[in-house]
Amino acid sequence: MNKKNPYTSHFTFIGIFLKTAKIDKDVMSNTHISPSEGSRLNTRHLLSIADLHRPDIDSLLDLAETYLDLSVQKDARNNVLAGKTLINLFFENSTRTEKSFELAGRRLGADVINMSMATSSASKGETLLDTATTLNAMNPDLLVIRHSASGAPALLSQKVSCAVINAGDGTHEHPTQALLDALTLRTRLGAIDGLRIAICGDILHSRVARSNVQLLNILGAEIRLIGPPTLIPLDADQWGVEVYHDMKGGLKGCDVVMMLRLQLERMSGSFVPSKREYFHFYGLDRSKLEYAAPGALVMHPGPMNRGVEISSDIADDPNISLITRQVETGVAMRMAILHLLSQGGDTEV
Amino acid sequence: MPKLAISNARLIDPKSGYDKRGDLLVEDGVIVAFGTDLFAEGLSPDIENIDADGLILCPGLIDMRVVTGEPGAEHKETLASAGRAAAAGGVTSMVVMPQTNPVIDDISLVDFIGRRARETSPVNVYAAGALTKNLDCTDMTELGLMSEAGAVMFSNGDAPISNAGLMRRLMAYSSAFNALIAHRPVDPDLSRNAVAHESDFSARLGLTAAPAAAERIMAERDIALVELTGARYLLDLISSTETLPALRRAKSRGLDVSASVSINHLALNELDIGDYRTFAKLDPPLRGEDDRQALLKAVNDGSIDIIVSAHDPRPSGDKRRPFAEAGFGAASLEMLLPAGLTLVADGQLDLIAFLRAVTSTPADMLGLPQGVLEIGAPADLVLIDPGKPWMCNVDNLRSHSRNTPFDGRLMQGAAVVTICNGKIVFDNHRV
């Protein structure tokens, strides 16, 4: 315990430093973002969508929308994380999430360290808390963690003295994905309030679905979950959603269709009989998309199984598919998250 | 298609309870009219007429549990031979079980059964798809695609699924298609190597036996899973008193649970295995007389929904062996109606309850348009002589395999004319 005190004071010190180091607005160009006082988050960590209040979500989306402009994103003066250390701690393999956080951190001027724990001391038997102690000794300011165990980021957050961001934990949550999905929708459709959104596929094992259900509910969307009964949690209808087991009924009138990835190992007889049966009943193709509202948009958190949950001609149709756009908004969204979290939450001060 | 008339019959529709003397007219394979004095103004001479002379005319029987050997063991039974046996027994629709070789666990096999049956069988044949691939109790089959291909229900044959996690997923998955899942309530560990009902009788014979609790335990487990998943579930072949309270409780709680019993278990008891008579070696085993009485009562009060033949043809080489080594099962397709009518004649079984359990209730469970006397319904009909005395002789059975435990028994009642889709497929009335 006495070991922890120096870090805590260090963190506080950073916070004070940030406030005093604020750049005078007058000398800024219009592409320059300032860490504004009003947009502080009510949370120190981003472990779950439940950590965020509506004003936090609005601040994050507003700031992210500014960062969507590439000239803002790449403006070297937006180095609000200069001198700060961001550690990407990935216990599970990831392409887009890890690189997206890395790029976001670098564009904000942070020192970024990627630790692929699949090939590190964790694979030699080190426990998560031992890893946490080791990392703490490196004095990071932001820790992005992905782990196969639900709740691992929360456990880590109790043991380190910096902000922890959940980049996906087990089948629990993936809050930054939900935020970037919301940003994607907001920039394309304006408001999320009142949209009818279907989330389809393997809800049972999806952390993306859990985060999205919470976030889109807060933002006022009408949410439907569609999937075979074996892939939808038993009491999912208690989540403020409507549950459907057929695409025809479920997609009726939907403005947005979010497809989820189906893990291949879940497809050969254990949860669903086969790939071909899954695609036949739940894979998104043109004919099923016709059930949705005219002009409905399609999203997918990636990586896709083409021909299993989504047909290629839909995934690659720029008029329908937001899939590439989701990756683009991912960087801007994560810049906003890193930016606001680095200022410290109210609970921390 | 020419018209067909049946006059002077006792018309019984078990579903509505209609039971009146009258006539019935068939045209283009469907019932177009029926009622009292339908032909009062005389019948056009170009219409073929069967004078029923007061015999019962009711919907053809629907047998929901028939094992055949096609494909894979055509020496035991083909769809054609089973179809002939069915027609002779008043059965106009049968559901073939998936335990063929290869197993009916794929849409191509469902398609094959339908195609072969249309080519060779005089009666309607429907396929039951397998619940697990190759009936191995490990991987789920393509239940949805097989449903679309025409499988009317799903079963794992005689192999009980002991893995409760798998059973839960099967039930949950099938509920999306509202598919009917039939499962043998048998605890495989409690019944291992069993060849008889556990009782003082089987103990004296020195036979390895299964307790009735083996059935009840699996039934209770499955009912709990039905409650969890909302599946449509059939307890396939119940045989003991002990299972009945679980069944009645499930029904009283509004669960979609039904049960079937084989005609063998209504007509016979464990004493019929007598001196190691392997033709009465069945799975589930024949149980005590009190069990038989309780099963009859449950059919009469509607607790047990359907009666099946549990037709399981075995070549004689498979049966003429020491009891423990002999094959299970009886070829009862042709005996379903006569054995039931014999119980009716004996006052043990209510006629309407019996007919309902072999016509309208199976039709409702399978979603078939048959099983009723209704205008517009398929003309699948059977003309029954309820009082006809005869003796069962295996040599006269139409099935390829003749392993019937009813051999040499006196029966009362038989089908005399069977009509399937408006065509006479069996006629023992006017010869």
Side-chain angles (χ1 to χ4, degrees):
Chain A
M1 266 302 133
N2 54 345
K3 242 183 143 184
K4 249 193 110 177
N5 288 336
Y7 302 121
T8 316
S9 58
H10 171 77
F11 198 93
T12 316
F13 166 74
I14 298 275
I16 294 162
F17 170 78
L18 252 179
K19 281 176 214 163
T20 50
K22 219 176 84 177
I23 301 153
D24 189 355
K25 269 190 171 167
D26 295 340
V27 296
M28 292 191 308
S29 79
N30 59 348
T31 63
H32 191 172
I33 307 263
S34 85
S36 88
E37 289 288 333
S39 56
R40 268 171 166 267
L41 299 182
N42 282 303
T43 178
R44 181 182 163 189
H45 308 291
L46 180 56
L47 304 173
S48 158
I49 292 296
D51 292 337
L52 302 174
H53 301 169
R54 179 69 197 249
D56 298 330
I57 295 165
D58 291 336
S59 309
L60 282 165
L61 293 176
D62 289 344
L63 183 56
E65 208 161 340
T66 325
Y67 276 129
L68 265 179
D69 185 340
L70 271 185
S71 62
V72 179
Q73 205 175 96
K74 292 185 173 172
D75 190 324
R77 286 169 301 173
N78 290 330
N79 57 347
V80 290
L81 295 187
K84 298 204 175 197
T85 308
L86 165 70
I87 298 185
N88 268 333
L89 188 62
F90 276 65
F91 290 87
E92 275 185 346
N93 290 330
S94 158
T95 312
R96 66 199 73 205
T97 307
E98 183 178 358
K99 297 307 164 212
S100 167
F101 267 111
E102 180 177 357
L103 197 56
R106 288 194 198 284
R107 286 194 170 150
L108 291 172
D111 298 320
V112 180
I113 299 169
N114 289 326
M115 299 181 74
S116 277
M117 300 307 285
T119 54
S120 75
S121 46
S123 60
K124 295 172 190 162
E126 189 176 80
T127 67
L128 181 64
L129 291 184
D130 288 341
T131 308
T133 312
T134 310
L135 292 175
N136 229 352
M138 298 176 192
N139 296 330
D141 302 284
L142 292 150
L143 194 57
V144 177
I145 174 175
R146 167 169 289 189
H147 200 283
S148 60
S150 301
L155 179 64
L156 196 72
S157 74
Q158 293 161 17
K159 299 294 170 190
V160 295
S161 45
C162 62
V164 176
I165 300 165
N166 180 3
D169 61 331
T171 55
H172 174 227
E173 282 216 43
H174 194 350
T176 66
Q177 176 74 40
L179 284 163
L180 77 86
D181 287 344
L183 179 63
T184 308
L185 287 175
R186 202 170 88 157
T187 54
R188 178 72 179 251
L189 296 171
I192 288 169
D193 191 22
L195 289 181
R196 184 180 283 179
I197 300 176
I199 306 179
C200 313
D202 184 0
I203 314 289
L204 185 66
H205 300 98
S206 173
R207 50 198 179 205
V208 175
R210 283 169 179 75
S211 289
N212 260 319
V213 164
Q214 287 184 65
L215 183 65
L216 295 171
N217 253 329
I218 294 172
L219 295 175
E222 178 194 330
I223 306 166
R224 295 175 165 193
L225 302 181
I226 311 173
T230 42
L231 291 176
I232 292 193
L234 200 60
D235 290 322
D237 53 344
Q238 314 275 307
W239 290 0
V241 298
E242 280 184 75
V243 175
Y244 289 83
H245 300 306
D246 69 303
M247 294 287 267
K248 190 172 183 179
L251 288 182
K252 191 158 190 271
C254 284
D255 305 295
V256 178
V257 186
M258 265 185 200
M259 299 307 296
L260 297 173
R261 176 182 167 74
L262 183 61
Q263 304 285 331
L264 289 159
E265 65 270 18
R266 293 180 184 127
M267 266 184 289
S268 54
S270 47
F271 287 87
V272 294
S274 66
K275 279 195 242 178
R276 106 177 143 167
E277 173 149 336
Y278 187 79
F279 187 77
H280 181 79
F281 290 105
Y282 299 103
L284 190 67
D285 54 18
R286 297 263 171 196
S287 64
K288 294 201 193 74
L289 192 59
E290 300 243 307
Y291 303 138
L297 297 171
V298 175
M299 304 175 81
H300 193 299
M304 287 179 279
N305 295 309
R306 289 167 184 267
V308 176
E309 71 253 356
I310 191 164
S311 73
S312 280
D313 70 321
I314 286 192
D316 299 334
D317 185 338
N319 295 321
I320 299 173
S321 168
L322 295 174
I323 296 169
T324 313
R325 179 73 180 156
Q326 284 172 279
V327 183
E328 263 177 76
T329 55
V331 178
M333 191 65 240
R334 282 163 182 137
M335 286 176 79
I337 293 165
L338 295 173
H339 180 158
L340 291 188
L341 274 182
S342 70
Q343 297 175 60
D346 280 352
T347 48
E348 185 266 327
V349 178
Chain B
M1 195 179 279
K3 294 181 180 180
L4 176 64
I6 301 118
S7 53
N8 293 322
R10 178 183 169 194
L11 300 170
I12 297 181
D13 178 37
K15 188 173 191 176
S16 63
Y18 182 93
D19 185 352
K20 280 183 185 157
R21 188 128 177 163
D23 315 311
L24 184 142
L25 185 64
V26 172
E27 191 178 345
D28 290 334
V30 296
I31 301 169
V32 291
F34 69 93
T36 311
D37 295 331
L38 192 65
F39 308 134
E41 292 171 13
L43 202 55
S44 158
D46 61 322
I47 297 178
E48 185 182 0
N49 180 37
I50 299 172
D51 185 354
D53 196 18
L55 300 182
I56 294 171
L57 184 67
C58 70
L61 274 58
I62 299 171
D63 187 349
M64 279 178 63
R65 199 180 211 283
V66 174
V67 174
T68 77
E70 188 168 355
E74 285 81 357
H75 63 289
K76 287 202 292 190
E77 191 83 286
T78 59
L79 292 170
S81 65
R84 285 194 296 273
V91 174
T92 50
S93 295
M94 56 181 180
V95 178
V96 297
M97 291 292 109
Q99 53 265 47
T100 47
N101 183 17
V103 167
I104 307 175
D105 60 0
D106 187 274
I107 46 174
S108 60
L109 267 295
V110 175
D111 192 56
F112 170 81
I113 297 291
R115 197 154 29 79
R116 279 296 286 169
R118 276 192 301 278
E119 288 165 5
T120 65
S121 167
V123 303
N124 304 312
V125 177
Y126 300 94
L131 282 169
T132 60
K133 286 174 193 154
N134 203 30
L135 303 175
D136 282 343
C137 303
T138 47
D139 294 326
M140 195 189 291
T141 53
E142 294 172 322
L143 302 174
L145 292 175
M146 283 196 285
S147 272
E148 286 195 349
V152 289
M153 58 186 269
F154 295 93
S155 151
N156 215 50
D158 290 312
I161 296 169
S162 59
N163 180 339
L166 175 63
M167 194 61 185
R168 177 205 174 158
R169 283 191 199 138
L170 283 166
M171 285 189 183
Y173 190 79
S174 68
S175 70
F177 309 100
N178 199 28
L180 177 66
I181 283 195
H183 186 231
R184 288 285 315 276
V186 175
D187 184 290
D189 298 310
L190 273 174
S191 325
R192 198 169 304 287
N193 300 326
V195 296
H197 168 55
E198 189 169 299
S199 68
D200 70 316
F201 181 72
S202 63
R204 267 186 280 137
L205 290 175
L207 296 174
T208 310
E215 181 173 293
R216 177 188 159 191
I217 286 170
M218 192 58 105
E220 299 263 19
R221 182 204 78 171
D222 281 355
I223 288 166
L225 291 175
V226 169
E227 194 164 359
L228 184 67
T229 58
R232 211 151 69 80
Y233 176 80
L234 171 67
L235 279 165
D236 184 21
L237 299 182
I238 64 171
S239 64
S240 88
T241 318
E242 273 195 43
T243 312
L244 294 171
L247 172 65
R248 293 194 172 107
R249 209 163 48 240
K251 287 180 177 237
S252 71
R253 292 165 76 184
L255 302 179
D256 202 340
V257 171
S258 45
S260 71
V261 64
S262 90
I263 191 65
N264 307 312
H265 289 80
L266 291 178
L268 309 169
N269 67 23
E270 60 172 344
L271 300 178
D272 286 291
I273 66 174
D275 294 325
Y276 306 102
R277 285 192 67 231
T278 56
F279 279 32
K281 178 182 174 181
L282 306 177
D283 177 23
L286 290 171
R287 299 200 188 265
E289 176 61 11
D290 52 341
D291 290 300
R292 190 183 77 90
Q293 295 290 346
L295 293 171
L296 282 165
K297 190 164 170 283
V299 171
N300 286 330
D301 71 18
S303 303
I304 291 177
D305 306 82
I306 62 167
I307 303 173
V308 295
S309 70
H311 181 71
D312 196 350
R314 300 279 174 171
S316 59
D318 200 14
K319 279 290 188 182
R320 300 202 188 285
R321 302 177 73 175
F323 196 87
E325 296 170 13
F328 291 96
S332 295
L333 185 50
E334 205 171 327
M335 297 307 294
L336 171 60
L337 179 64
L341 292 172
T342 305
L343 290 167
V344 170
D346 202 26
Q348 301 188 50
L349 192 57
D350 175 64
L351 177 64
I352 300 300
F354 168 62
L355 290 178
R356 197 177 285 142
V358 290
T359 58
S360 57
T361 308
D364 287 345
M365 283 171 72
L366 299 171
L368 299 178
Q370 290 97 335
V372 285
L373 284 194
E374 270 173 21
I375 290 168
D380 286 7
L381 302 160
V382 58
L383 191 63
I384 293 170
D385 181 348
K388 181 181 181 179
W390 59 289
M391 186 194 275
C392 176
N393 178 352
V394 281
D395 295 333
N396 298 334
L397 292 182
R398 280 136 185 102
S399 171
H400 272 184
S401 298
R402 287 155 182 196
N403 50 312
T404 175
F406 294 103
D407 185 30
R409 281 183 183 252
L410 295 173
M411 313 301 292
Q412 188 169 347
V416 289
V417 177
T418 306
I419 297 162
C420 187
N421 294 311
K423 267 171 55 187
I424 296 171
V425 291
F426 173 75
D427 189 348
N428 204 18
H429 186 48
R430 298 171 297 174
V431 284

